[in-house]
Amino acid sequence: MPRHQGVVLVDTNVIIESWRVSCWRALTSGYAVESVEMCAIIETQTGLQRRRPEERIDLAEIQATLRNIHGVGTVERAEALLRDDQIRFLDAGEQMLWAHALTRSDAWLLCGPDKASLRVGIRLGLRDRLVSLERLLLDVGHRPKQPLKRQYTEQWLRDALSQIASLEEPRR
């Protein structure tokens, strides 16, 4: 499969994991990585003082390396909920990331390991836009020195999507 050339939207978990295994620079150098304020700014800094030093996210670096950090308003959130009311069960960052994603008309991908978020993607018929962190890194030729946690791997994503797809029907 050729490497994705469009925008990659990432949730908080992906930012934290990328930071933990020291692959943030590889990810943001290889792709046009974007996120929303709730994920990139608020959630990455929440609990910062309780993280090990290697897991502390430098806000200035996040702001400098993300191609864009999007604000999400009430209208976008409401429109997303109208598309699929199950979005209300996602955490705030994922709600806003999906609300933003659903306003886009370009060829974006979404990287985030939360099963509730994956369920939304499947329900909306966007399964082909869901991608693992491992796949993104492999496609840019980067292999982290530390292994990724299981939920960031290609195998985990395939298994999760198959499991969820067997329970959900896409909504259009």
Side-chain angles (χ1 to χ4, degrees), residues 56-101:
R56 291 187 186 138
I57 286 99
D58 181 341
L59 182 58
E61 185 168 348
I62 292 292
Q63 292 172 317
T65 53
L66 281 171
R67 189 177 101 175
N68 206 336
I69 300 173
H70 301 276
V72 177
T74 306
V75 172
E76 293 95 346
R77 289 176 69 198
E79 288 172 350
L81 286 168
L82 289 173
R83 295 255 325 252
D84 188 339
D85 68 341
Q86 298 300 303
I87 288 174
R88 74 180 186 274
F89 295 118
L90 301 177
D91 74 26
E94 289 161 339
Q95 280 183 28
M96 291 187 190
L97 192 62
W98 273 108
H100 170 72

Side-chain angles (χ1 to χ4, degrees), residues 79-85 87 98-99 101-102 108 117-128 168-172:
E79 288 172 350
L81 286 168
L82 289 173
R83 295 255 325 252
D84 188 339
D85 68 341
I87 288 174
W98 273 108
L102 294 173
W108 53 269
S117 178
L118 298 175
R119 184 173 293 112
V120 166
I122 288 172
R123 288 172 55 87
L124 292 171
L126 300 169
R127 180 179 179 165
D128 62 328
E168 296 286 342
E169 291 184 29
R171 295 179 63 187
R172 302 261 176 171

Side-chain angles (χ1 to χ4, degrees), residues 5 12 30 33 37 41 53 62 70 72 80 99 129 135 145 154:
Q5 297 300 313
T12 308
V33 179
E37 289 174 351
I41 296 174
I62 292 292
H70 301 276
V72 177
R129 293 187 182 231
R135 168 58 39 215
K145 292 177 181 155
E154 186 68 11

